[in-house]
Amino acid sequence: MSLAITTWNINSVRLRLPIVEDFLKRVNPDILCLQEIKCQNDQFPAEAIAALGYSHIVIHGQKGYHGVAICSKMPLTEDHRQDYCGVGDSRHISAVFEWAGRRIRLHNFYVPAGGDEPNRDLNPKFGHKLDFIEEMKLLSAEAEPNTGSILVGDLNIAPLEHDVWSHKQMLKIVSHTPVETEGLLDIMRQGKWVDLMRQQVPASEKLYTWWSYRAKDWAAADRGRRLDHVWSSSDLAPLLTGIDVMKEARGWTQPSDHVPVTAHFKAA
C-alpha cells in the first residue's frame, strides 16, 4: 500500500486551477498540500478538486494573501490552524489521516518570504520571518503519542549550499542568509525532523523547487532555490521510496514560480 503526498505553492489557486486539475489527473497523489492559495475559505475551488477524487479538504484561507489547504482522498480529522506570531495570517494547517495502520499528522506551512533586505531593523518583514522561525522550533515531530508526523510546505529558506544556484552569491540574499539557514536547521534538529528530500538526493547535488519570474529564460539560467520541503518523523523516513520534483511544471501556461514536489512512501 503506497502513499504519495504533494506539496505545491500554487500562487493563487483560482488563477491556476487548470494546472492544478491537470496535475491531479496526471500524477494522482493521495494528498495535495497547497500554499499561497490567496483566497478565503468559501472561495476555494473545492467542488472542482473534489470532482477529481479529493473529497476531504481542510482550508485555512485569507483574502488576497497567504492561505494553505490540504486536499485528500483519505479522511482528514483533527484539523488545526496555528496562528504563528499572533498576527492573524493563514500560514499553517494540520490534520490527521490513517494509512497502513498508522496515525499520521500532516503539517502544511507557508513561511513568510521576508522581503528583500536581510535586516530586521530596516525590514520588519524579515524580523517577522525570524520570529516565525523561532516559534517553529517548538514544533516536534514526536509531539503526539503513537502518531507519525509529516511536514511539508513552502518554507522560503534554502538551507544547504547546493539548495541554491550559487552559495557565495546568495549569502546576503533573503532565503539563504546564515541566520535563516541556521534557524531552519535548528527547527529540524530540535524537532527531530528528517529532511526527506536530502535523504533521497545527496546534499552534494543541486536541488531546486523555485525559479524566479524575473528570469527572462528561467530554464537556461537555472538559477533556482530549494524553498519547498518535505520532512517527517524518524519512524516514517525509512518508508520513503522516492521524491519527484516536477521541474517541467515551471514551464506550463501561467505557471507558479514553484513546482510540485511529491514524496512517495511504502507500507512497512
Side-chain angles (χ1 to χ4, degrees), residues 42-62:
D42 60 356
Q43 298 172 319
F44 187 85
E47 187 174 331
I49 291 175
L52 295 174
Y54 299 83
S55 56
H56 306 280
I57 301 175
V58 292
I59 312 163
H60 189 21
Q62 186 172 342

Side-chain angles (χ1 to χ4, degrees), residues 13-256:
V13 67
R14 290 178 294 173
L15 176 64
R16 304 190 208 285
L17 181 59
I19 64 172
V20 172
E21 292 175 313
D22 183 55
F23 173 82
L24 292 176
K25 291 172 184 176
R26 291 171 58 181
V27 178
N28 195 33
D30 298 290
I31 301 176
L32 172 66
C33 293
L34 297 172
Q35 304 89 39
E36 210 173 356
I37 60 174
K38 292 185 175 179
C39 66
Q40 297 183 80
N41 289 9
D42 60 356
Q43 298 172 319
F44 187 85
E47 187 174 331
I49 291 175
L52 295 174
Y54 299 83
S55 56
H56 306 280
I57 301 175
V58 292
I59 312 163
H60 189 21
Q62 186 172 342
K63 184 178 180 180
Y65 297 94
H66 320 317
V68 287
I70 302 174
C71 309
S72 175
K73 293 181 177 182
M74 299 176 285
L76 299 172
T77 62
E78 299 181 42
D79 51 303
H80 174 69
R81 296 149 185 80
Q82 183 76 27
D83 183 9
Y84 279 78
C85 300
V87 296
D89 287 346
S90 299
R91 294 184 175 276
H92 168 268
I93 193 165
S94 74
V96 170
F97 67 95
E98 303 278 344
W99 169 70
R102 293 173 179 267
R103 183 180 191 272
I104 300 172
R105 179 167 292 278
L106 174 61
H107 294 272
N108 182 12
F109 273 94
Y110 175 47
V111 172
D116 294 326
E117 177 61 48
N119 184 320
R120 70 179 304 146
D121 296 325
L122 301 176
N123 174 17
K125 290 182 178 179
F126 191 68
H128 174 45
K129 183 176 189 177
L130 298 184
D131 292 343
F132 197 103
I133 292 167
E134 281 300 311
E135 288 196 17
M136 282 187 71
K137 292 178 182 178
L138 301 176
L139 183 63
S140 171
E142 302 174 351
E144 298 173 79
N146 304 311
T147 305
S149 298
I150 296 174
L151 185 157
V152 305
D154 174 8
L155 305 187
N156 262 313
I157 299 171
L160 305 181
E161 178 177 349
H162 295 293
D163 289 341
V164 294
W165 65 275
S166 173
H167 173 62
K168 290 183 179 179
Q169 294 183 68
M170 292 288 297
L171 282 171
K172 295 183 179 180
I173 303 298
V174 173
S175 78
H176 193 62
T177 65
V179 66
E180 294 170 88
T181 60
E182 289 166 11
L184 196 71
L185 294 174
D186 280 344
I187 295 171
M188 276 192 268
R189 281 190 293 263
Q190 294 181 29
K192 299 183 179 179
W193 295 100
V194 179
D195 182 350
L196 295 184
M197 294 178 72
R198 283 306 186 184
Q199 175 177 297
Q200 190 71 21
V201 180
S204 59
E205 295 182 18
K206 293 289 188 183
L207 182 60
Y208 312 143
T209 65
W210 174 93
W211 291 264
S212 175
Y213 286 135
R214 297 175 186 176
K216 291 183 179 179
D217 189 339
W218 69 272
D222 201 25
R223 294 189 171 189
R225 308 177 200 176
R226 181 173 71 117
L227 301 181
D228 305 273
H229 296 261
V230 183
W231 302 351
S232 81
S233 49
S234 59
D235 60 312
L236 297 177
L239 306 182
L240 183 76
T241 58
I243 294 282
D244 294 327
V245 178
M246 188 175 273
K247 185 176 180 179
E248 65 186 84
R250 182 60 181 81
W252 290 352
T253 301
Q254 284 194 305
S256 171

